[in-house]
Amino acid sequence: MQRVVSEAALQAAFNCFVRSESGVRLGSFKVAVIAHQLAELTMELGMIGLGRMGANMAQRLAQGGHRVSGFDPNAEVRKSIESKGVQPAESLEALVAALPAPRVLWLMVPAGLITDSTIDKLLPLLAAGDTVIDGGNSNYKDTQRRGLALAEKGIRYVDCGTSGGIWGLAEGYSMMIGGEKAAVDHLKPIFETLAPAKDKGWGHVGPSGSGHFTKMIHNGIEYGMMQAYAEGFSILEHKQDFALDLHQVAEIWRTGSVVRSWLLDLTAAALEKNPKMTGIAPRVDDSGEGRWTVAEAIDLNVPAPVITLSLLQRLRSRDTDSYADKLLAAMRNQFGGHAITKE
Amino acid sequence: MQRVVSEAALQAAFNCFVRSESGVRLGSFKVAVIAHQLAELTMELGMIGLGRMGANMAQRLAQGGHRVSGFDPNAEVRKSIESKGVQPAESLEALVAALPAPRVLWLMVPAGLITDSTIDKLLPLLAAGDTVIDGGNSNYKDTQRRGLALAEKGIRYVDCGTSGGIWGLAEGYSMMIGGEKAAVDHLKPIFETLAPAKDKGWGHVGPSGSGHFTKMIHNGIEYGMMQAYAEGFSILEHKQDFALDLHQVAEIWRTGSVVRSWLLDLTAAALEKNPKMTGIAPRVDDSGEGRWTVAEAIDLNVPAPVITLSLLQRLRSRDTDSYADKLLAAMRNQFGGHAITKE
Amino acid sequence: MQRVVSEAALQAAFNCFVRSESGVRLGSFKVAVIAHQLAELTMELGMIGLGRMGANMAQRLAQGGHRVSGFDPNAEVRKSIESKGVQPAESLEALVAALPAPRVLWLMVPAGLITDSTIDKLLPLLAAGDTVIDGGNSNYKDTQRRGLALAEKGIRYVDCGTSGGIWGLAEGYSMMIGGEKAAVDHLKPIFETLAPAKDKGWGHVGPSGSGHFTKMIHNGIEYGMMQAYAEGFSILEHKQDFALDLHQVAEIWRTGSVVRSWLLDLTAAALEKNPKMTGIAPRVDDSGEGRWTVAEAIDLNVPAPVITLSLLQRLRSRDTDSYADKLLAAMRNQFGGHAITKE
Amino acid sequence: MQRVVSEAALQAAFNCFVRSESGVRLGSFKVAVIAHQLAELTMELGMIGLGRMGANMAQRLAQGGHRVSGFDPNAEVRKSIESKGVQPAESLEALVAALPAPRVLWLMVPAGLITDSTIDKLLPLLAAGDTVIDGGNSNYKDTQRRGLALAEKGIRYVDCGTSGGIWGLAEGYSMMIGGEKAAVDHLKPIFETLAPAKDKGWGHVGPSGSGHFTKMIHNGIEYGMMQAYAEGFSILEHKQDFALDLHQVAEIWRTGSVVRSWLLDLTAAALEKNPKMTGIAPRVDDSGEGRWTVAEAIDLNVPAPVITLSLLQRLRSRDTDSYADKLLAAMRNQFGGHAITKE
């Protein structure tokens, strides 16, 4: 199907009717525009770090018509990116040299020391007016520090908290952006292409650091939501009298219920594949944002028990030989003579 | 737009392209079927209880082509239902008399004593083969008890945990259904109409009580998700340095992010209207399902700290003169001489 | 040392001085009365249930000069009690027959069905004016029900929440007593003997059920305190840089610190014996009172997060193959491609 | 009473008997040595900071025979200390000059910037071989940093986590001490005097910082215990059917029960004075140690939910206009049409 439609039409939902061959109306359906993309402006950009996230984002930008170069220390990774429409560069120097001034560089490298060392290497190669975007999960305080340092050299530093994971390539990324307004405005075509829709899923939320801050809180909420689902499904699983089909329940909830969400969609997909979670160890990792959210909440005197407990449950999942529980067993034995289970 | 399409086409998403008048491709969009409804079978049903939920459900059923009668003790409510395509009945007796055998009656009354007393009044009016559906938030143990009592008289008792709130009329309800398979199969056309789509958002999950059980856990999860969002936005609100626009953040998260959900859509709507929550008391009520979920989790030895804490935070919101906190202040004064704030 | 002292002197602390043989003062010390007991009145009583708690309590009463008979279904247990000064009875009938009217019977049997069945067997043997004391951990609502039933026959029912565990024999029991004042007054000599001191560690707290209620809350607090210690010592244990001697720390805290307590004394004893908790499984059981405390707090709309979480941590210690954690790992894999640890 | 007793006798408990004038034995009691103190060695020391804690500690040291000078920036405080046997110094310089080399200086000033600035002022006045003790609630990481800095100049830095509050003057302090063994050994007479007993309530627990670390965890446990009591008493208070006398309950628990502790003794005292907590605002402050304990537990991957929740409840007590709760109310209104309470 290929038709010319007006912009106005794109906003509307269509009412369609299903008829039998003899023309009797059998029913109706609705269609609505769920995504549209008008390529208006393209930019040139260098992506630094071509891991899962960086490669996908570079590819989405290339598909959107932007000219994207990319660098990664791993040669194989550099090679594979070419097939995705991204021009590989052999070094940071080559990457920077390949870009027209003022340059735009997007960092998609692990937060912490690697981000700092990458910036240190970049600095001598850049000039006033260039822009560096940190799209990773940096701690917002690091971002503020780096932003100040780069500003001294006239380099614009933009922090872009990026959500969407492995689904971003197909569905677009949600981006919370911090930094100077002029710098963010300049990058608009990039954000419009990376986002799920031109005017959806991204925004300039405030000064330097505020993008990473907002993403950090996003992840804290994510912890809480995930834990809520996990607990609920665990109760369902343990109610053996009802022999519930957890995948079915998840599917029912996906439409019309109060708890419908994208995380529930993913949960349904996981439950369809493996309803008993066979072969999966009960071990939940955490990256930094949950911890930072908890620390920030306490710094701000905001009680956030559910986000906090969600983090603590993850710690607990890895504390498989709990000293605390052993000591509790020993204490019960001391005062009540309660039996201790031998290890 | 009115076209004949095949069922297969209804499942697909369409790729469309926007071209200029001279044929140059400007961009692309996708359309997908988001709802369809084929009226196949209609039923007759009596709705008992025409409050917000009952009236909306009766109306949705009537709009779907079913013949719906309704009773409510409140005369004004009975009157107003007529304009929604529902036939009012002056009494329970009149309602039952108006239905063809085997009768189908849907209870949408407050859980607990009122459900019991309504069933007591109905019982003498019903005959073997009739079906009673409890669509309210009954405790699943009450449902099991009632199901056994009605089964003795050959009356089918179906429990339908119903989610969707005030949005159900327009968007359809998510329904978790417990009871005998034959009874649920018989009611299929009703569930297909009430649901967001014929084959989405509803299902027969297990024996008597399992529908209400599943809905109870649904609500427990809802508590946890709500609390996670509330905590996250509260941290954002307290980060005054960044002067974040909470409505904007919610909108950004609604597309592409990991935390996107229907509850977030509603949160965005609430924040748009009243970003500072002006005039709203910090007081959160709870109905029974959260408490029952916590009790059930403990009975099943399932640790559910996030759902539990979410309930406790609601209790805390109403404990505005906390004895515990006063005693803590008094204890600190005792051991450390720390100042007590006078009330 | 054997002296006649006045009651008043018993209340005081003595200042003593240590001198060298030539009379030079070397230092000072204080002595204080830590326990005294004046036998004034003795009673006759039948103890039903000679498990750890029942046997110890019967022995303490016998040592205090009371005449105690005892019954237990286990013949060996009955035999062994004789050496502790308690007269064994071969049956409930024999026990009741051995007591002078009005009889006093102390139940020390498992809460729940066994308490009910024991009362059922006793009832035909008793007469108006007799007293039955339930010293076990009965749910206070059961106690209220039983109290009403026995009152109909003129039998006094007293609930005695009993704390002290295996240390009670030597140190005395803490007793929270519910029931009619006249009934409790009549039993005063028994409580005075069982308590750590005549006028310490026991009291009539309110009507029927209030003793068991108060004991239930006592146990809830106990859960919270134990968990607080366990968490604290676990943090110390994990701080490997400091290689702390946990037994030493517990000993330091036992005197002068804010966290000194009897539970800390026991913790120190456990740590002295086994500082690494070697051979102890990280598995913590719970009896009913913690669960009841959580349910009661929620019923009363009192937020009690610490007591609640303490219970949940015990459940967690036994949830060694957590479905919730597996699902969380599966969800993280779904959205972020994060690796799952294989089981 | 003034007698010469042997050291061995001091360890024992005495059995005493009460007899009537005619010699009939009426009962028995026990006495035990609860405190003794042999002045063996005295030291000279300068106390810096004569607030509640510093003044009391200086006084206890002076009473123990040590020669104590003291400095405080507040002239009135300096004046008042003289009556407690402490020699006031007009300046830090004067204090240092008044002490024989190698000097011993005890800091009892607020943690953080004031500790740092005090050390900065002291440094030029000190010489290699001098000892500085930080008895305050410094963060152990600050202590490690300061210890390294002072070690470079040959000055010994000892951290002494001090518990006991306003009761320490009379009962002695519990002290957890970090630093080099030789430095701690040298200060032994001071710790023996400050402690509740020569060989109780104090100890050298590990290297620099470990004393403050252990005290930090002590305070975390304290938070958990306090919260457990507060919740328990709050449940008792809300059980209005039983009209419990909370002071009586606390007194019963003080002897023989599992929950007996010094904090319970203080709670009983507070409840005796003001059982309804009249006039006390439900507002609980926190100093730094609770926050640091939570952060440290997370850093060490140790789940400590009860200590953490205890801190969060304190934050909650001060969040009197909770944005989170307002948003929850607004969300419930959005999806279910639930009424919002107006502020």
Side-chain angles (χ1 to χ4, degrees), chain B residues 171-191:
Chain B
E171 305 201 355
Y173 298 91
S174 177
M175 290 168 292
M176 305 128 240
I177 304 159
E180 281 182 27
K181 187 177 182 315
V184 177
D185 284 349
H186 177 62
L187 302 169
K188 202 177 167 194
I190 289 174
F191 295 129

Side-chain angles (χ1 to χ4, degrees), chain A residues 170-185:
Chain A
E171 304 202 355
Y173 298 91
S174 177
M175 290 168 293
M176 305 128 240
I177 304 159
E180 278 181 29
K181 188 177 182 312
V184 177
D185 284 348

Side-chain angles (χ1 to χ4, degrees), chain C residues 140 209-217 296, chain D residues 236 239 242 244:
Chain C
Y140 81 95
S210 64
H212 283 148
F213 182 88
T214 305
K215 175 58 171 23
M216 176 182 84
I217 302 303
E296 186 72 30
Chain D
L236 293 176
K239 188 70 178 178
F242 287 147
L244 297 162

Side-chain angles (χ1 to χ4, degrees), chain D residues 69-102:
Chain D
S69 313
F71 170 73
D72 191 279
N74 183 320
E76 275 192 52
V77 164
R78 286 200 301 271
K79 208 168 174 182
S80 69
I81 200 73
E82 213 164 351
S83 65
K84 295 169 184 169
V86 178
Q87 184 65 26
E90 290 304 299
S91 65
L92 275 185
E93 289 75 8
L95 184 76
V96 172
L99 293 168

